[in-house]
Amino acid sequence: MNALERVLAWPTKLADRYRLALWTAAEIADATGGTASGPFQVAGVETDSREVRPGDLFVALKGESSDGHEFLDKAFANGAAAALVERPIDGPHVLVEDTTRALEALGAFARERAGGTVIGVTGSVGKTGVKEAIFTALDRASHGAAHRSVKSYNNHVGVPLSLARMPGASAYGVFEMGMNHAGEIAALTEQVRPHVAVITTIAPAHIENLGSEEAIADAKAEIFGGLVPGGTAVIPIDSVHFARLRDAAVKAGAKVLSFGKAREADVRLLDAVPSANGGSLVTAALGDRRLCYTVAEPGEHWISNSLAVMGAVYAAGGDLGAAGLALAEMGGLKGRGARHRIAVPGGHALLIDESYNANPASMRATLAQLGHTPATRRIAVLGSMKELGDFAPAFHAQLAEPLAEAQVDFAILVGPEMVALARELGKGGHNPLGKPFRFAHCEGPGEAIAALEEFGLAGGDAVLVKGSNSVGLARVVAHFAAREG
């Protein structure tokens, strides 16, 4: 066969025969039980009219405070090819009774038609980063045939939306699942139906709603209920809740793959030493294999995360070499460890963006990493940790210890819950040299920006910005990152 004949014979694989469109009008109508206005094809699915790209299907969801039908004109102006609606419109559409249920049905249809391996990820800390690392590894090994939930689309809207976006030819799908209350992950995992379910760690996030870490562990373990028969649970053996998680996985009929430092771990950490780029050089054991790889992300928590990634990729039948390369090349995500080199008097300062989320465990981990970061001065801008309920004052006050251990020179505390930490620091005794701890307490991000400007950044400084997303510390990051260079 000559070159021309080979071109004419293309495609040569079944996967190559898939059309470029994600959905046809007939498929959407079939999946949702709706009625199509006519034939059309769409290349994507979106629920936010501001994020619509040319060729998307806009799903007009009705929420408590807004109705997507009010933004149809904007969606079509941005290039929507069609809309999923509850009332007839002039443009291409599929008419359904309930757009929320229709989106769930579309996601279920997409999950049913996908023949690839599906991985679900949850945990109190690190689930987005672990999800991204697993995806990057599988996408590399499958030459672009992996799909994942973007950003933190991990709730009752984000999960079916992410499923609905999955191409039928996907070899892998990686989906993040989050929760605020018991029962929420149970509903999500029934939609995802993973072959592999990963729990990164258990920590007192959302303890206000759940009451105890044991209840948090039980809520996270709901992910095992959706595992397909013969599925694998990847869980942290070093967690005090390991037995609880293991028992829940076994009860669900899952195979258990543990990761951690313990001798009994299936993916066991053997050694980790600092690497030149600020990350870690890791050696781990997986059965009779020895895995040696670099983790670009700094911090002890990322060493543990890397073991979870390796376990998930192994359980999914993926390429462990590609997983090692993915971990070596990953940079920090926006709001979750992204690093900015900003111009300041006397040179440059390092700005660490952890502004998207915070709980007691992640606060301690990132402050510890700040303490290991070479710097002339260390500055911490810490926002309130939300959803801690009656536990909030104690958890905030307890941050005085990791602040001192990290040798932080100046702390800016943002939000009403930080009053407890301000009082604790005001007592003195937390500075190793016996001097009063330097800090400022601010109401919001605007005051925090002013306080940091007044303090004055200088060359060699390292600044950590971390807090719950609702505190709005992304404004602080954006203000100073504008000086990146």
Side-chain angles (χ1 to χ4, degrees):
M1 182 181 292
N2 60 34
L4 177 60
E5 289 171 331
R6 283 196 294 272
V7 170
L8 294 175
W10 188 90
T12 58
K13 297 183 298 183
L14 179 62
D16 292 330
R17 300 178 189 274
Y18 281 91
R19 65 182 185 281
L20 295 179
L22 181 65
W23 294 100
T24 66
E27 288 171 334
I28 297 169
D30 185 34
T32 63
T35 303
S37 61
F40 59 79
Q41 295 185 351
V42 298
V45 184
E46 185 53 72
T47 59
D48 186 336
S49 62
R50 297 167 297 183
E51 300 292 329
V52 166
R53 293 179 296 181
D56 278 351
L57 171 73
F58 174 63
V59 183
L61 297 178
K62 297 175 81 171
E64 294 181 1
S65 58
S66 64
D67 183 347
H69 294 79
E70 297 175 0
F71 303 98
L72 284 164
D73 288 344
K74 183 173 183 179
F76 280 110
N78 285 343
L84 191 62
V85 293
E86 295 179 8
R87 58 175 181 263
I89 61 173
D90 290 336
H93 67 275
V94 172
L95 181 64
V96 297
E97 291 186 4
D98 186 316
T99 50
T100 298
R101 291 183 180 178
L103 177 60
E104 293 173 355
L106 197 63
F109 192 98
R111 174 63 184 85
E112 190 66 31
R113 75 178 179 181
T117 300
V118 174
I119 300 97
V121 182
T122 192
S124 300
V125 183
K127 54 185 175 290
T128 300
V130 167
K131 177 258 297 180
E132 288 293 323
I134 294 170
F135 163 76
T136 303
L138 297 174
D139 196 54
R140 175 191 287 269
S142 65
H143 304 288
H147 171 79
R148 90 322 199 155
S149 49
V150 298
K151 301 179 183 177
S152 288
Y153 284 11
N154 61 17
N155 63 8
H156 66 287
V157 173
V159 169
L161 175 61
S162 298
L163 284 166
R165 290 171 168 176
M166 181 164 56
S170 297
Y172 299 97
V174 190
F175 299 92
E176 179 181 336
M177 286 173 261
M179 61 87 190
N180 294 316
H181 298 83
E184 290 178 340
I185 286 182
L188 299 178
T189 193
E190 286 297 331
Q191 298 177 56
V192 174
R193 293 189 293 113
H195 297 88
V196 180
V198 182
I199 293 182
T200 58
T201 190
I202 302 298
H206 314 301
I207 199 168
E208 175 183 19
N209 301 322
L210 292 156
S212 69
E213 280 198 16
E214 290 77 12
I216 293 170
D218 290 340
K220 297 295 184 184
E222 291 172 9
I223 192 173
F224 306 139
L227 277 168
V228 300
T232 302
V234 179
I235 55 179
I237 198 169
D238 299 324
S239 171
V240 296
H241 306 291
F242 170 71
R244 200 178 194 95
L245 298 175
R246 179 199 61 207
D247 292 347
V250 171
K251 184 178 179 181
K255 295 177 288 187
V256 174
L257 188 73
S258 61
F259 66 90
K261 298 178 181 179
R263 183 175 297 275
E264 301 81 11
D266 297 304
V267 186
R268 178 188 171 202
L269 178 67
L270 298 178
D271 189 34
V273 297
S275 64
N277 66 352
S280 303
L281 300 173
V282 176
T283 303
L286 201 170
D288 59 357
R289 303 186 189 191
R290 290 295 181 270
L291 309 176
C292 299
Y293 55 91
T294 299
V295 179
E297 288 291 307
E300 288 281 335
H301 56 297
W302 258 104
I303 295 173
S304 176
N305 285 348
S306 77
L307 301 176
V309 171
M310 288 296 181
V313 171
Y314 173 76
D319 186 328
L320 294 174
L325 291 172
L327 289 163
E329 295 175 358
M330 275 192 69
L333 304 174
K334 181 180 179 181
R336 293 183 172 87
R339 296 187 163 212
H340 303 273
R341 186 172 179 264
I342 60 175
V344 295
H348 291 86
L350 172 65
L351 177 65
I352 305 169
D353 178 13
E354 289 275 0
S355 60
Y356 188 81
N357 202 1
N359 59 53
S362 64
M363 276 287 199
R364 285 181 173 271
T366 49
L367 283 170
Q369 182 53 42
L370 178 64
H372 289 110
T373 301
T376 305
R377 299 182 302 179
R378 298 183 180 92
I379 300 137
V381 182
L382 304 181
S384 296
M385 300 179 289
K386 300 296 186 177
E387 297 186 27
L388 296 177
D390 294 339
F391 300 90
F395 279 128
H396 283 83
Q398 288 166 10
L399 294 179
E401 179 184 357
L403 273 169
E405 291 175 348
Q407 298 183 1
V408 170
D409 295 278
F410 183 55
I412 298 175
L413 315 178
V414 188
E417 292 87 347
M418 280 292 172
V419 169
L421 178 55
R423 288 172 179 165
E424 186 65 24
L425 294 175
K427 294 176 183 178
H430 295 290
N431 190 303
L433 299 178
K435 297 179 181 179
F437 196 99
R438 298 183 64 190
F439 70 92
H441 183 216
C442 304
E443 290 295 322
E447 288 186 23
I449 291 171
L452 193 49
E453 292 279 21
E454 182 178 351
F455 177 75
L457 295 179
D461 286 348
V463 185
L464 168 67
V465 181
K466 185 168 182 63
S468 290
N469 189 42
S470 60
V471 180
L473 294 188
R475 280 182 55 194
V476 178
V477 174
H479 177 85
F480 288 97
R483 306 173 188 177
E484 193 164 11

